[in-house]
């Protein structure tokens, strides 16, 4: 990382330039002051205040119990530790069921310090995406495995393996891009689908369990450090294990491996 890019704040424009230049970028979840500070020090470009906080912070078995108040509180904590990264925040389960709830709840997160909101779902979110984007709120569309729909999906499983569903995901991602989404986050899909989405969309694509070809990668803080006591997914890599430089060194290694394309490796991918 050059001294110049170390100082400049990451914005939507930065992410789009990364895509244009074929430069990979690293994203990580964080939920408090110290983790945001450490992520910044290590050069993480996007910090997600994810509703995974329901599991890794609150100890629930899904993200469904997370409220807008919980998310707002964690955005506020992260904002104080952040300097350069772009802060993205999840709109929690059922906080964007109507036009007014989407606008009101997105406004709460933006006022607390988020610079982009993330919504889980496909083409049905086109109007909401348009509504938010038109009013100056950058939107990240989250597709593939959408954990807020775990009960509808019947579990946390790989999405888009069959050609029909894979095509649907691509078509719906294009609809969300046209509606004004600034970024796509794609979770738990086969490598080919991650690649096809990245190549067919103009907006940057962030992957988690979506193979090495996406523009950016994201991991959950507790997974990267091997802290979560529950079952870990195939796409997770514990960067603290065997790392003599502790937490800071683990995050720095993650950033480096995303940028040089070493992460994710074959063993972290679905086919
Ligand atoms: O909530 C979260 O942490 C997420 C990541 C899994 C991408 O959405």
């Amino acid at each position: 990382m050059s001294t110049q890019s170390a100082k400049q704040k990451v914005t939507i424009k930065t992410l789009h330039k990364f895509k244009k230049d074929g430069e990979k970028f690293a994203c990580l979840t964080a939920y408090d002051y110290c983790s945001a500070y450490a992520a910044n020090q290590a050069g993480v470009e996007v910090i997600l205040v994810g509703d995974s906080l329901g599991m890794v912070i609150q100890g629930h078995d899904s993200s469904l119990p997370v409220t807008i108040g919980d998310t707002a509180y964690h955005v506020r904590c992260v904002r104080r530790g952040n300097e350069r990264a772009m802060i993205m925040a999840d709109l929690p389960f059922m906080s964007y069921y109507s036009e007014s709830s989407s606008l009101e709840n997105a406004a709460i997160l933006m006022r607390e310090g988020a610079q982009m909101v993330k919504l889980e779902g496909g083409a049905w979110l086109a109007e909401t995406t348009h509504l938010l984007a038109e009013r100056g709120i950058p939107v990240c569309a989250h597709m593939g495995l959408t954990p807020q729909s775990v009960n509808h999906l019947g579990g946390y499983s790989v999405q888009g393996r069959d050609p029909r569903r894979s095509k649907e995901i691509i078509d719906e991602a294009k609809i969300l891009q046209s509606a004004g989404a600034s970024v796509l986050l794609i979770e738990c899909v086969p490598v080919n689908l991650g690649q096809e989405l990245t190549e067919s969309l103009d907006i940057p694509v962030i992957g988690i369990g979506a193979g090495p070809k996406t523009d950016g990668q994201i991991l959950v803080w507790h997974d990267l450090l091997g802290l979560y006591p529950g079952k870990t997914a195939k796409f997770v890599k514990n960067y603290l294990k065997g790392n003599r430089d502790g937490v800071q060194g683990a995050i720095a290694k993650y950033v480096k491996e995303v940028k040089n394309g070493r992460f994710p490796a074959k063993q972290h991918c679905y086919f």
Side-chain angles (χ1 to χ4, degrees):
M1 193 176 26
S2 68
T3 322
Q4 181 72 355
S5 64
K7 280 185 192 147
Q8 276 175 356
K9 284 190 189 299
V10 177
T11 67
I12 275 295
K13 274 192 187 166
T14 323
L15 302 185
H16 281 253
K17 185 163 182 335
F18 283 148
K19 176 158 186 127
K20 189 167 153 277
D21 297 347
E23 192 181 330
K24 304 265 182 202
F25 58 93
C27 319
L28 184 60
T29 69
Y31 315 94
D32 60 25
Y33 169 79
C34 285
S35 53
Y37 187 87
N40 260 264
Q41 290 293 106
V44 166
E45 273 111 1
V46 178
I47 292 178
L48 168 66
V49 182
D51 58 1
S52 50
L53 75 88
M55 293 153 106
V56 298
I57 302 287
Q58 298 174 334
H60 296 294
D61 62 1
S62 79
S63 57
L64 273 62
V66 175
T67 65
I68 192 72
D70 296 334
T71 313
Y73 167 76
H74 287 283
V75 171
R76 208 177 308 143
C77 299
V78 161
R79 177 192 201 163
R80 295 186 192 118
N82 184 52
E83 195 183 339
R84 172 182 172 260
M86 180 159 192
I87 300 177
M88 168 154 91
D90 266 332
L91 276 171
F93 177 65
M94 279 297 145
S95 68
Y96 47 100
Y97 65 87
S98 67
E99 285 192 4
S100 58
S101 68
S102 312
L103 288 170
E104 279 162 18
N105 289 320
I108 290 173
L109 299 183
M110 298 297 281
R111 285 197 188 103
E112 294 294 1
Q115 291 146 325
M116 173 156 54
V117 296
K118 179 160 79 60
L119 287 73
E120 295 184 11
W124 65 273
L125 281 172
E127 268 180 42
T128 310
T129 300
H130 182 66
L131 198 70
L132 292 168
E134 249 196 345
R135 283 155 182 80
I137 300 177
V139 171
C140 173
H142 182 157
M143 295 186 69
L145 173 59
T146 46
Q148 290 175 14
S149 306
V150 61
N151 294 302
H152 182 71
L153 295 171
Y156 298 101
S157 53
V158 183
Q159 303 295 307
R161 268 202 169 123
D162 72 282
R164 192 188 50 84
R165 182 64 193 133
S166 172
K167 187 179 176 309
E168 259 170 28
I169 291 175
I170 295 168
D171 292 345
E172 293 193 33
K174 286 182 181 163
I175 291 171
L176 292 177
Q177 172 177 265
S178 302
S182 296
V183 177
L184 174 76
L185 188 146
I186 184 76
E187 178 166 354
C188 238
V189 296
V191 170
N192 287 353
L193 179 51
Q195 177 167 6
E196 210 176 326
L197 279 165
T198 308
E199 288 170 359
S200 55
L201 294 178
D202 298 324
I203 56 176
V205 176
I206 301 170
I208 177 162
K213 299 293 185 185
T214 56
D215 304 301
Q217 297 288 335
I218 186 160
L219 278 180
V220 168
W221 173 270
H222 296 69
D223 287 341
L224 184 145
L225 300 175
L227 296 173
Y228 189 61
K231 194 171 169 265
T232 46
K234 187 182 184 192
F235 56 76
V236 167
K237 178 168 174 181
N238 177 349
Y239 278 93
L240 193 56
K241 206 173 179 180
N243 194 313
R244 280 183 287 165
D245 299 321
V247 170
Q248 198 61 59
I251 306 169
K253 187 163 182 214
Y254 162 67
V255 172
K256 192 172 169 194
E257 287 198 353
V258 167
K259 293 206 166 277
N260 65 22
R262 290 222 173 100
F263 178 79
K266 206 169 175 187
Q267 70 265 28
H268 307 116
C269 295
Y270 301 104
F271 296 94

